[in-house]
Amino acid sequence: MTRPGGTARGLPLPVYIFPCRIQQGLGEWVETARAVRLLPRAGYPLYHLRSPPSAGAGRSDPRAVPLDPSRKGGEPFPPVRGLSEPLRAPRAVAVVTWFGITARKEDAAGERVPGPLADRFERLRDAHPDGLLVLSLEEFGTARTSREAVAENLRQAGATGASLRQLLRSPAGQDRVRRYREAFWRARAGEREDVLHLFPEFFPSLPALREFPFALPIAPFSPRPRARRARSPPPTPVPLQVVWYASASTAPRLLGPLLEALGGLSGPVDLAVRPGPAWRTPVPPSASPPSVRVTFLPPEGRRPWERRLGRAALRVVGGSQTLLEAVFDRAPFLYFNGALPTPSGRTVGFRREKLLSLLRGAPSRPVERTVARDLRAFADLDGVTGVVRRAATSRSWRLGLARLCQPAGQGFPPPLRPGERYLLHLVRSFDRTEEPVARFVERTRRWHRRALGAP
């Protein structure tokens, strides 16, 4: 059953937004701002429900910290109206970071979770008796099978090749996969019938969707367009401009190998490092090669940072948003999200799922295969000198990277891309129907799976 848009009182359907910081960094802030930016222009005003003064400071948990989108941050939000009390309307939509850990006090098994937004969500449900639809923005690149997730965890512990395959086939390995599957369902609140879980990905994984039918992969939320880049890489500037977003907790491990690699290039290099908390009081190392000038950047605004990125001949990125921006810009980049030592002394990359999501759809031509192999190696701190030399000086390598990035997001049918347009489609669809929330969620999940060709 459908009806014209708007609530029973003739007001637009209210959309509440609740960005949270998960662990370190502000990627979730940026992603939420991009996800909702089309809503006000389509007639859906944005609201942010604050905690009442009587709630005090609430529970403090570093895993999930609510953010106020009405304040300035790493990405500008559309206009957001702060509220001390929910609006009185039959139905509403809430867009939230990781519903499973931010908007509940306990999971389905009764275990305590951070839940800093749980009290606010209880008030929202009381205020919207005919239904509150929750759109949960899940972690980028994490819609993968249990076996893939366990294999990556074992790899970080040092298992590779035949030993990794043997571990996965063993009863203990199969039990790990089973326990991961159960934990993922529970942590993400996969049992909820009022939540649509949206997983931004570069390419969808149909095996993951079959295993977790609640985990709906969608195309990324688009970065704001910047100046159009040339179709082919521009001439390399002198000195070579390299920008490193060094936010990972183990990012300092890369500094020595990166300086050695840059020092081996034929000309001067300017390396600008945007440090994260792990650097404490960063200072340029005294042992830098004479041809490399290192600058640790103080905090700077979004526009100066984007100008710096635009001038860079090579970016070293990590996490999700800087990787996403480099892919959309078709900019030469390498990916490093931290690395861990294994018992054998080998170093392996930490949390590579964002990079693996990109490489899932990589073309199979020889140059692109070489680029994909180099991206994986650099993430592991393996062969850094050769990878940096090719990334900084090889025109064919850089063209191969641009071709590798070109299909990212195109593996989704048009209704599911870009991510911000699909989110608007969900809000409009809910606004135009009177069916119960649980029925809307189940119908949307079925339609979503059919759109991707998944049974």
Side-chain angles (χ1 to χ4, degrees):
M1 182 183 301
T2 60
R3 61 180 174 86
T7 68
R9 295 166 53 192
L11 299 175
L13 180 76
V15 178
Y16 301 90
I17 58 174
F18 297 97
C20 282
R21 188 182 77 237
I22 307 296
Q23 302 289 359
Q24 298 179 7
L26 290 177
E28 290 79 18
W29 172 292
V30 173
E31 187 168 69
T32 307
R34 293 170 178 171
V36 302
R37 70 167 176 248
L38 297 183
L39 297 181
R41 283 183 281 169
Y44 297 103
L46 303 179
Y47 302 95
H48 178 67
L49 181 62
R50 304 188 184 99
S51 291
S54 59
R59 285 184 291 164
S60 177
D61 193 314
R63 292 174 293 171
V65 179
L67 305 172
D68 186 347
S70 64
R71 299 178 180 176
K72 289 186 178 181
E75 180 94 356
F77 271 85
V80 179
R81 179 184 169 191
L83 299 174
S84 57
E85 293 294 335
L87 298 175
R88 291 295 168 182
R91 290 152 73 87
V93 174
V95 180
V96 62
T97 304
W98 294 25
F99 172 88
I101 70 167
T102 64
R104 304 181 295 168
K105 294 179 179 177
E106 60 183 33
D107 63 22
E111 294 186 13
R112 185 185 177 98
V113 293
L117 300 171
D119 292 339
R120 281 182 260 191
F121 268 73
E122 290 178 3
R123 294 162 61 206
L124 284 180
R125 291 192 179 91
D126 290 341
H128 304 293
D130 287 351
L132 177 70
L133 172 67
V134 179
L135 304 180
S136 180
L137 306 185
E138 303 291 341
E139 185 176 5
F140 193 103
T142 54
R144 52 188 176 164
T145 66
S146 299
R147 191 179 190 278
E148 289 170 334
V150 170
E152 188 67 9
N153 290 340
L154 290 173
R155 179 184 176 278
Q156 289 180 181
T160 59
S163 64
L164 175 57
R165 292 190 292 273
Q166 184 176 357
L167 271 172
L168 289 171
R169 287 195 299 266
S170 69
Q174 294 176 24
D175 185 59
R176 279 177 180 258
V177 171
R178 177 190 60 78
R179 286 187 285 114
Y180 177 91
R181 182 181 303 114
E182 294 174 353
F184 189 82
W185 272 86
R186 196 167 70 242
R188 301 294 180 174
E191 79 287 347
R192 293 292 295 245
E193 297 179 338
D194 58 344
V195 181
L196 286 170
H197 301 78
L198 307 179
F199 286 75
E201 298 277 339
F202 285 116
F203 294 92
S205 168
L206 297 189
L209 183 57
R210 285 192 290 270
E211 184 176 5
F212 300 109
F214 70 89
L216 304 181
I218 66 170
F221 301 113
S222 308
R224 293 180 179 274
R226 288 190 276 272
R228 185 178 296 275
R229 296 182 63 88
R231 289 184 177 272
S232 60
T236 302
V238 179
L240 183 80
Q241 302 292 315
V242 180
V243 175
W244 177 18
Y245 184 77
S247 63
S249 61
T250 56
R253 294 180 186 273
L254 175 61
L255 183 59
L258 182 60
L259 288 175
E260 181 180 354
L262 294 174
L265 300 179
S266 59
V269 178
D270 281 347
L271 172 62
V273 184
R274 184 171 178 172
W279 295 89
R280 296 181 182 169
T281 307
V283 294
S286 57
S288 297
S291 61
V292 182
R293 184 178 68 175
V294 183
T295 303
F296 283 91
L297 303 174
E300 60 183 358
R302 178 177 60 91
R303 290 183 179 177
W305 171 245
E306 289 185 349
R307 287 195 295 269
R308 190 181 299 277
L309 289 177
R311 295 192 299 268
L314 179 65
R315 305 180 191 182
V316 181
V317 301
S320 58
Q321 296 310 310
T322 52
L323 172 62
L324 180 66
E325 290 162 0
V327 169
F328 269 68
D329 288 349
R330 310 280 170 82
F333 73 88
L334 296 168
Y335 182 86
F336 182 76
N337 193 42
L340 301 171
T342 65
S344 66
R346 180 171 175 263
T347 302
V348 298
F350 178 68
R351 297 293 307 274
R352 305 178 309 160
E353 62 268 14
K354 282 79 171 172
L355 176 63
L356 297 179
S357 176
L358 173 65
L359 300 183
R360 186 182 295 150
S364 59
R365 292 184 291 266
V367 173
E368 285 89 325
R369 286 203 301 269
T370 297
V371 171
R373 184 171 62 247
D374 280 351
L375 289 174
R376 290 191 186 94
F378 187 86
D380 285 340
L381 286 184
D382 183 19
V384 171
T385 297
V387 175
V388 170
R389 183 180 66 251
R390 288 186 288 275
T393 64
S394 170
R395 180 179 175 83
S396 64
W397 192 98
R398 291 151 76 91
L399 286 171
L401 177 64
R403 288 195 298 268
L404 185 151
C405 293
Q406 186 172 0
Q410 303 301 309
F412 294 89
L416 302 181
R417 61 177 164 90
E420 65 272 18
R421 191 163 296 280
Y422 182 55
L423 188 136
L424 172 59
H425 163 76
L426 293 176
V427 173
R428 276 179 171 156
S429 299
F430 184 66
D431 189 20
R432 293 170 178 171
T433 184
E434 292 180 343
E435 65 186 337
V437 175
R439 188 181 302 168
F440 176 82
V441 166
E442 179 53 33
R443 178 172 61 82
T444 300
R445 288 173 177 170
R446 288 199 306 268
W447 177 89
H448 193 117
R449 291 194 291 269
R450 285 197 303 270
L452 288 172

